[in-house]
């Protein structure tokens, strides 16, 4: 490691400490929570299992980040998205918006290992939050830490997923929806940068293509050649298109794609079309370090949404089943 790399490493560590110290956490959440709870290997177990799965299938990085977002935006970060449906209740994971979620087996494996090491200590909500953080890191993204101590929720209902933003929203609607959850427009654009990982299914963007709707022309915000590419790609609703050219690497290429009018989802491209958010997109496209810093701050904030404390939650023995 040369001198410049060492100095950059020191800077990144300083920024993590600065970011973490700048938030007033929920009372029961602490960075050293599992050391205090006599489960010091909790984070290492999460990191090792996530790393092993990502080495076998790099696309799971996007899956874990997406699952964490879909969890936090519905009833808060309480692992409600992990609960299985029963004959008496259709859970969040069976909502149309969640049917394409992947990576449940990673959370299950982590939980099984932690139940051996520290029975009923590490919550599924914390496992999911840590797994998403580690997925970002192993995909080449920023290093950041999160406070731990979340409890698991005891409610998971399909009707609650109405709070998830659909891919048809424009920038103003996204600003309003994220604003209701306490996020600024800048934080919304930073969180959208998670689409630097992964793919979108054709069902999410086919309405932008004329060959799927004879009453409309191609979305004018789409680059003409890219629209043709998408049309050829969409052989079925389950056909997939990468959000950017580096789908398994966490970088700022997503914002470069928006500048080229090759945003896959309407809700992506609208960030560049709206003057209110275009400057933020340009800033992130120009400077990846700025994007990384703002992304980790926004993720830290998202991980604190409606955290369950004390008797308001539990630590599940099985992440798929309420105790």
């Amino acid at each position: 490691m040369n001198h410049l790399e060492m100095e950059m490493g020191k800077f990144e560590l300083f920024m993590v400490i600065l970011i973490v110290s700048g938030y007033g956490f929920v009372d029961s959440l602490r960075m050293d929570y599992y050391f205090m709870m006599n489960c010091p290997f909790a984070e290492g177990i999460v990191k090792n299992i996530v790393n092993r799965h990502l080495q076998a299938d790099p696309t799971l990085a996007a899956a874990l980040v997406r699952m964490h977002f879909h969890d936090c935006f519905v009833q808060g970060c309480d692992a409600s998205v992990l609960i299985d449906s029963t004959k008496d209740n259709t859970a969040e994971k069976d909502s149309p918006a969640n049917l394409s979620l992947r990576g449940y087996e990673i959370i299950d494996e982590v939980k099984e290992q932690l139940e051996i090491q520290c029975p009923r200590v590490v919550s599924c909500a914390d496992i999911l939050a840590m797994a998403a953080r580690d997925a970002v890191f192993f995909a080449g993204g920023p290093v950041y830490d999160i406070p731990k101590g979340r409890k698991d929720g005891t409610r998971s209902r399909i009707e609650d997923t109405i709070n998830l933003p659909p891919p048809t929203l424009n920038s103003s609607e996204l600003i309003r929806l994220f604003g209701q959850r306490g996020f600024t427009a800048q934080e919304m654009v930073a969180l959208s940068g998670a689409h630097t990982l992964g793919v979108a299914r054709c069902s999410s963007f086919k309405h932008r293509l004329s060959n799927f709707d004879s009453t409309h022309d191609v979305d004018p915000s789409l680059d003409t050649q890219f629209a043709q590419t998408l049309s050829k790609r969409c052989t079925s609703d389950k056909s997939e298109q990468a959000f950017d050219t580096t789908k398994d690497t966490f970088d700022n290429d997503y914002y470069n794609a928006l500048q080229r009018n090759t945003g896959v989802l309407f809700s992506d491209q609208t960030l560049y079309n709206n003057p209110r958010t275009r400057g933020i997109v340009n800033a992130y496209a120009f400077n990846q370090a700025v994007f990384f810093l703002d992304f980790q701050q926004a993720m830290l904030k998202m991980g604190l949404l409606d955290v369950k404390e004390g008797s308001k939650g539990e630590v599940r023995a099985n992440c798929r089943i309420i105790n």
Side-chain angles (χ1 to χ4, degrees):
M1 180 180 290
N2 61 35
H3 177 71
L4 178 59
E5 289 173 328
M6 291 178 64
E7 290 303 312
M8 286 300 295
K10 292 177 183 177
F11 174 75
E12 288 177 359
L13 179 60
F14 168 74
M15 291 311 301
V16 169
I17 295 171
L18 183 64
I19 291 165
V20 165
S21 63
Y23 278 91
F25 295 139
V26 181
D27 291 343
S28 61
L29 268 59
R30 301 172 53 110
M31 290 295 177
D32 60 351
Y33 182 83
Y34 289 112
F35 281 92
M36 300 293 292
M37 297 295 290
N38 295 318
C39 190
F41 302 114
E43 296 207 49
I45 289 172
V46 176
K47 193 178 296 289
N48 289 338
I49 292 176
V50 168
N51 185 30
R52 176 162 48 80
H53 279 274
L54 264 57
Q55 286 184 339
D57 182 1
T59 68
L60 286 168
L64 289 171
V65 175
R66 182 167 179 248
M67 188 186 294
H68 181 43
F69 174 81
H70 280 228
D71 179 42
C72 291
F73 249 64
V74 179
Q75 300 295 316
C77 305
D78 63 354
S80 55
V81 75
L82 303 177
I83 296 174
D84 286 340
S85 295
T86 64
K87 62 181 179 63
D88 299 318
N89 177 64
T90 303
E92 292 173 28
K93 64 166 54 173
D94 288 319
S95 161
N98 286 335
L99 290 178
S100 59
L101 291 182
R102 304 164 52 233
Y104 295 110
E105 71 282 359
I106 300 175
I107 307 302
D108 290 338
E109 183 178 342
V110 171
K111 183 60 175 174
E112 289 171 6
Q113 288 296 316
L114 288 173
E115 283 301 299
I116 295 172
Q117 294 286 332
C118 318
R120 300 292 287 276
V121 172
V122 185
S123 70
C124 301
D126 271 352
I127 292 172
L128 185 49
M130 289 187 284
R133 173 203 62 190
D134 294 340
V136 169
F137 168 71
F138 287 124
V143 180
Y144 64 97
D145 199 4
I146 55 173
K148 278 73 69 176
R150 299 164 186 77
K151 292 294 192 293
D152 298 324
T154 55
R155 171 190 174 100
S156 182
R157 297 185 179 179
I158 188 172
E159 58 265 29
D160 295 336
T161 60
I162 194 172
N163 295 321
L164 291 170
T168 54
L169 295 186
N170 63 35
S171 185
S172 296
E173 292 167 328
L174 287 169
I175 290 172
R176 178 186 57 79
L177 183 62
F178 276 74
Q180 291 174 346
R181 305 296 283 156
F183 293 100
T184 65
Q186 172 265 315
E187 289 168 334
M188 179 272 290
V189 177
L191 287 173
S192 297
H195 280 176
T196 183
L197 297 173
V199 299
R201 289 190 173 182
C202 186
S203 56
S204 299
F205 59 81
K206 68 179 184 180
H207 62 283
R208 306 180 71 196
L209 309 174
S210 62
N211 56 316
F212 282 92
D213 187 349
S214 59
T215 63
H216 294 88
D217 294 327
V218 173
D219 182 342
S221 66
L222 262 179
D223 174 79
T224 303
Q225 286 190 323
F226 189 62
Q228 294 174 354
T229 298
L230 294 182
S231 294
K232 293 177 182 177
R233 179 80 66 180
C234 277
T235 56
S236 75
D237 278 1
K238 292 186 177 180
S239 299
E240 296 176 339
Q241 171 65 40
F243 286 115
D244 66 21
T245 59
T246 56
K247 69 181 181 67
D248 296 327
T249 301
F250 196 99
D251 54 25
N252 66 337
D253 192 48
Y254 164 80
Y255 299 104
N256 294 320
L258 301 188
Q259 290 180 322
R260 298 189 298 265
N261 292 321
T262 57
V264 178
L265 302 180
F266 177 80
S267 56
D268 290 325
Q269 192 59 52
T270 187
L271 302 180
Y272 188 68
N273 298 341
N274 189 328
R276 185 172 175 185
T277 49
R278 182 181 301 146
I280 306 170
V281 171
N282 287 335
Y284 293 161
F286 178 73
N287 192 324
Q288 180 170 276
V290 172
F291 163 51
F292 276 18
L293 179 59
D294 287 354
F295 178 81
Q296 60 197 35
Q297 285 182 306
M299 283 292 283
L300 188 62
K301 183 174 179 177
M302 188 185 77
L304 301 176
L305 284 176
D306 300 331
V307 168
K308 307 296 185 294
E309 298 182 88
S311 61
K312 293 182 179 179
E314 61 182 18
V315 175
R316 289 182 218 138
N318 181 332
C319 290
R320 295 173 179 264
I321 304 170
I322 297 170
N323 291 339

